[in-house]
Amino acid sequence: MIMKNIFSFGIILFSVLTSFSQDTIVNNKGLIFSGTIIGSDSLFLSYKSNDSLSSEVNLVNKSTILLLKYSNGRVDQLYKNDTLLTKNGDKIIAKILEIDSDMLSYFRFDGKINSVQITPLASLFMYQLSNGEKVVINEKPQDITDYRALGEADAKKYYKTAPGFKAGEVFLGATWWLFGIPLITGIILPSIKPVKLESSSNPNNALLKSNPAYKSGFEKKASGKKMTAGFTALLSGFTGSLLALIAIVSYSF
């Protein structure tokens, strides 16, 4: 019974030690892989994952590896460090992985393997690449455009009331004598906000979907233009019909 317990303890202890005795690989995306490195040549490194139940051997292109940390504590750093200087005066020695318009990601090894860090470019004063190239981060100019006013100006210039709408208003005005229903309809329709705002001649069409202030200003001006055009056409039809009626009555007498 005692021998059985000792044997079980030995198996557990061996499993624990094995779980900690593993190699670590960090690739150029900052991803961390753990396992047992089997071998390598000039191009590839092979390893077997300790987490895998299969005996599959994984191949990794050595050009994509940043760092190797072996179970015996040996470390192979396969990259040259870049330098980041923050606006707070902090200096960060790390490998820059990716830079986009607003963010920068980097990997840092300081005796232990750290996860990928992401920092806003706006928080940096500059960064220097391992080849000596220095990049100073310039503040983006603040956008002070009054998009609501721009929307109104564009609507004044590019929005056109549909010819069919105007013709319909003329017709409704001309048929006012049909119990007044056409005239009431002709008064209501111009008050409805226009639906089609895009124009092939407007260079800022995209802002109608991406900028609420621009769309609000454009709709306001377009609605005013539609209302003016509608009531003008309605009055034109009404006046024409009324003059025609007066002429007919006068001719009859």
Side-chain angles (χ1 to χ4, degrees):
M1 183 69 177
I2 295 175
M3 291 299 295
K4 183 177 180 181
N5 290 337
I6 294 174
F7 180 72
S8 299
F9 176 77
I11 292 176
I12 294 172
L13 179 62
F14 177 78
S15 300
V16 171
L17 291 175
T18 302
S19 66
F20 285 101
S21 299
Q22 58 184 2
D23 304 314
T24 304
I25 304 168
V26 182
N27 71 5
N28 56 7
K29 300 294 184 183
L31 298 177
I32 302 171
F33 304 92
S34 298
T36 301
I37 296 176
I38 299 172
S40 67
D41 56 25
S42 59
L43 295 177
F44 295 97
L45 178 144
S46 59
Y47 77 97
K48 182 180 180 300
S49 173
N50 290 341
D51 297 329
S52 176
L53 297 177
S54 69
S55 58
E56 179 182 356
V57 175
N58 302 286
L59 287 179
V60 182
N61 193 316
K62 293 181 78 172
S63 65
T64 67
I65 298 175
L66 290 181
L67 183 135
L68 297 172
K69 186 175 183 180
Y70 297 90
S71 58
N72 61 9
R74 172 188 155 198
V75 175
D76 287 345
Q77 182 174 314
L78 306 179
Y79 65 91
K80 293 181 179 179
N81 275 310
D82 305 310
T83 303
L84 292 77
L85 294 178
T86 71
K87 289 181 178 177
N88 293 329
D90 297 325
K91 184 177 182 180
I92 302 172
I93 305 299
K95 174 63 178 176
I96 295 175
L97 302 180
E98 187 176 358
I99 304 170
D100 61 22
S101 59
D102 298 305
M103 309 295 288
L104 179 148
S105 63
Y106 62 88
F107 166 76
R108 186 164 60 94
F109 178 73
D110 53 3
K112 67 176 182 177
I113 296 175
N114 298 284
S115 59
V116 174
Q117 301 294 308
I118 300 175
T119 186
L121 280 176
S123 69
L124 299 177
F125 168 67
M126 65 160 286
Y127 60 85
Q128 181 174 353
L129 302 178
S130 57
N131 62 8
E133 179 186 353
K134 293 182 180 179
V135 178
V136 178
I137 309 300
N138 295 317
E139 293 282 354
K140 290 184 177 180
Q142 186 178 3
D143 188 354
I144 58 173
T145 303
D146 185 346
Y147 284 101
R148 185 178 179 86
L150 178 61
E152 290 188 30
D154 282 351
K156 181 179 180 180
K157 186 175 181 180
Y158 300 113
Y159 176 77
K160 307 295 181 186
T161 307
F165 171 74
K166 293 180 181 179
E169 285 294 292
V170 171
F171 175 78
L172 291 172
T175 55
W176 59 271
W177 41 271
L178 294 174
F179 307 105
I181 295 177
L183 192 61
I184 295 174
T185 303
I187 292 173
I188 294 174
L189 289 179
S191 304
I192 299 174
K193 287 184 178 181
V195 176
K196 182 174 174 52
L197 301 177
E198 293 83 1
S199 169
S200 58
S201 56
N202 183 5
N204 295 316
N205 268 336
L207 291 176
L208 288 168
K209 295 182 178 179
S210 64
N211 192 295
Y214 177 87
K215 183 179 180 180
S216 176
F218 196 100
E219 278 185 335
K220 177 183 177 182
K221 191 64 179 181
S223 295
K225 290 183 69 174
K226 178 185 176 183
M227 186 175 294
T228 299
F231 285 144
T232 300
L234 183 69
L235 182 61
S236 175
F238 174 80
T239 302
S241 175
L242 184 62
L243 291 176
L245 180 62
I246 293 174
I248 292 172
V249 171
S250 298
Y251 181 80
S252 299
F253 290 97

